[in-house]
Amino acid sequence: MSLPPLQNGNKMEKEPITLNGMNQLKDELVFFKRKKKPKIVSAIAEARSHGDLKENAEYHAAKEEQSHNEGRITEINDIIARANVIDVTKLNNEGKVIFGSTVFLENLDSGEKIDYKIVGKDEADLKQKLIYFQSPIGKGLIGKNKNDFVEINTPAGIKNFEIKDVKYI
């Protein structure tokens, strides 16, 4: 289960999210509500029909799965309620690294070329090259421009990059 939303007094803080990230959350919500929930309800009914619930492992497993499913539904609804959707394709920002932009980098130490999309925490996934805008690399890139040289202090040490291109896709 995730942490409760950030609060400022009684007001919940909005979390930036890309349009693609919001669409994925909505798809996930539909999956949990319309596909997974009915299967779990059916599994609980089937397990109940087997009698004694105290020693019915299938029933307890289905109830636990139901709890996890409902928890994820609540979590997704919370994320959506706090979301500040940013559609980077509608922003006019020539060459500047902003939330939602895709940054094409060259690692000056290794020569490796890599690209990252700067995203919100709920859609960040390093394996998919989606980095959280508050991560060390995200913080180091935001506000920089195409052709800038940046030095970023990461947990793996200092990395030196050149920003080759910035796209808003």
Side-chain angles (χ1 to χ4, degrees):
M1 196 70 146
S2 69
L3 296 172
L6 301 173
Q7 293 192 0
N8 182 0
N10 289 340
K11 188 176 146 190
M12 283 195 290
E13 293 287 325
K14 289 288 189 182
E15 282 284 332
I17 189 169
T18 65
L19 185 60
N20 186 50
M22 177 58 85
N23 290 337
Q24 287 177 344
L25 278 175
K26 288 179 177 177
D27 290 346
E28 188 180 357
L29 186 61
V30 167
F31 169 77
F32 281 109
K33 282 182 163 181
R34 295 193 184 151
K35 298 227 178 350
K36 196 164 184 184
K37 193 174 190 173
K39 286 181 183 175
I40 294 169
V41 169
S42 176
I44 290 171
E46 172 71 24
R48 269 196 179 128
S49 72
H50 296 158
D52 187 10
L53 297 181
K54 281 188 235 166
E55 295 183 23
N56 187 330
E58 290 170 353
Y59 174 78
H60 293 291
K63 289 298 279 183
E64 187 172 331
E65 187 177 5
Q66 181 182 41
S67 175
H68 288 296
N69 192 64
E70 292 303 317
R72 183 62 183 150
I73 289 170
T74 300
E75 186 177 25
I76 294 170
N77 280 326
D78 176 61
I79 293 167
I80 290 171
R82 293 181 295 112
N84 176 21
V85 179
I86 297 173
D87 183 356
V88 75
T89 62
K90 295 202 174 16
L91 301 175
N92 186 8
N93 221 325
E94 295 303 314
K96 187 171 192 166
V97 180
I98 58 173
F99 180 89
S101 60
T102 301
V103 187
F104 297 84
L105 304 167
E106 181 178 345
N107 183 323
L108 297 175
D109 303 317
S110 69
E112 175 189 17
K113 292 185 181 349
I114 189 157
D115 58 278
Y116 293 116
K117 185 171 183 92
I118 312 288
V119 299
K121 72 175 180 182
D122 296 306
E123 57 189 316
D125 183 349
L126 193 55
K127 289 178 183 161
Q128 293 184 41
K129 299 181 185 175
L130 302 171
I131 59 167
Y132 180 37
F133 76 100
Q134 293 287 10
S135 70
I137 293 175
K139 282 181 178 180
L141 293 173
I142 294 277
K144 301 294 190 283
N145 292 293
K146 181 178 176 178
N147 300 322
D148 280 357
F149 294 93
V150 290
E151 181 179 276
I152 301 173
N153 192 1
T154 71
I158 293 176
K159 306 272 186 194
N160 293 290
F161 296 101
E162 181 181 355
I163 299 174
K164 293 294 196 177
D165 202 1
V166 181
K167 299 209 174 174
Y168 310 100
I169 47 180

